[in-house]
Amino acid sequence: MGAGSLFVVATPIGNLGDISDRAVETLRSADVVACEDTRVTGNLLKHFGIEAEMFVYEDSRERSVAPVLLDIIKGGKNVALVSDAGTPCMSDPGFRIVRACRLEGVNVVPIPGPCAFISALSASGLPSDMFMFAGFLPAKTSARKNFFARYADFKGTLAFYESPYRVEKFVDDAIEVFGKQRVVCVAKEISKMFERFFVGKLEDVSEELKHSKTKGEFVVLVAPEGFEL
């Protein structure tokens, strides 16, 4: 028996209707579904009537389980790699598993689909011809400001993820480094019921956020200096 394949499967970031037919079929036919949380992925599989063996690889144990999953694939089984939402490895676990497969010459197949920062960028009105995705920045203000300062002159759009607990502070720190006039987009709960986009100058977006509920997941996009809506 030859080796199986690793399928990197993008899953919905909110609206379950965003999953592709190909993703559903891949999950249905996989021998093992590698996931961060069996409760989250279990609910997804149940919604689409899929029964599958699940294997937990969440961030803290990814390094140790990567060789185990590699052995499963080399043994002839197909593994579908998913994260709790969106595209695996995009500020989510999965990189070490994919790397292990590449190093061993195992077939890795992407199953494209939802990605929060790409969705936000496409609907933001900010420049999308060049961008840099930085994921989640450190929680400490000093580290965050240092990052902003390092890339303040970047010629494209900067893309970040942020939690509801720090998004207002994130914007305040951005004002200190980039200035009040820098254009940003803060996207909340993309594809979910309370989806909302805050687009404009940092000072205006900051005020809007202070008068809005900040529950949910956020994507923050910072336009290059000099860009105007």
Side-chain angles (χ1 to χ4, degrees), residues 50-205:
I50 299 171
E51 294 185 7
E53 177 185 349
M54 287 183 283
F55 185 105
V56 177
Y57 75 92
E58 48 87 19
D59 204 25
S60 65
R61 37 184 318 228
E62 184 187 353
R63 190 184 302 275
S64 62
V65 303
V68 179
L69 281 170
L70 178 60
D71 285 343
I72 290 172
I73 297 168
K74 290 172 72 174
K77 291 188 176 182
N78 291 322
V79 173
L81 176 71
V82 301
S83 60
D84 284 348
T87 301
C89 307
M90 297 296 102
S91 206
D92 277 329
F95 155 72
R96 294 182 179 87
I97 296 167
V98 174
R99 179 180 62 179
C101 289
R102 287 297 184 193
L103 288 173
E104 290 291 318
V106 168
N107 191 38
V108 179
V109 181
I111 309 297
C115 178
F117 84 88
I118 292 294
S119 299
L121 186 59
S122 71
S124 68
L126 274 59
S128 56
D129 55 332
M130 182 169 70
F131 59 88
M132 184 179 76
F133 174 60
F136 287 95
L137 292 186
K140 291 187 177 180
T141 293
S142 58
R144 196 160 49 228
K145 286 182 179 179
N146 286 339
F147 186 95
F148 290 159
R150 192 178 314 132
Y151 294 99
D153 296 326
F154 181 65
K155 301 304 181 184
T157 296
L158 299 170
F160 307 93
Y161 286 156
E162 191 50 275
S163 78
Y165 309 107
R166 294 197 300 265
V167 67
E168 288 187 42
K169 182 59 179 171
F170 183 105
V171 170
D172 289 341
D173 291 342
I175 288 175
E176 288 192 34
V177 177
F178 298 122
K180 297 179 180 180
Q181 301 302 303
R182 184 70 71 94
V183 173
V184 297
C185 167
V186 178
K188 168 188 174 184
E189 293 287 82
I190 294 173
S191 86
K192 299 177 184 177
M193 182 179 296
F194 298 106
E195 174 184 284
R196 186 172 177 187
F197 281 71
F198 304 86
V199 184
K201 296 176 181 178
L202 268 168
E203 61 178 343
D204 298 326
V205 169

Side-chain angles (χ1 to χ4, degrees), residues 3-19:
S5 296
L6 176 70
F7 294 88
V8 184
V9 183
T11 56
I13 56 177
N15 192 317
L16 292 178
D18 291 337
I19 198 168

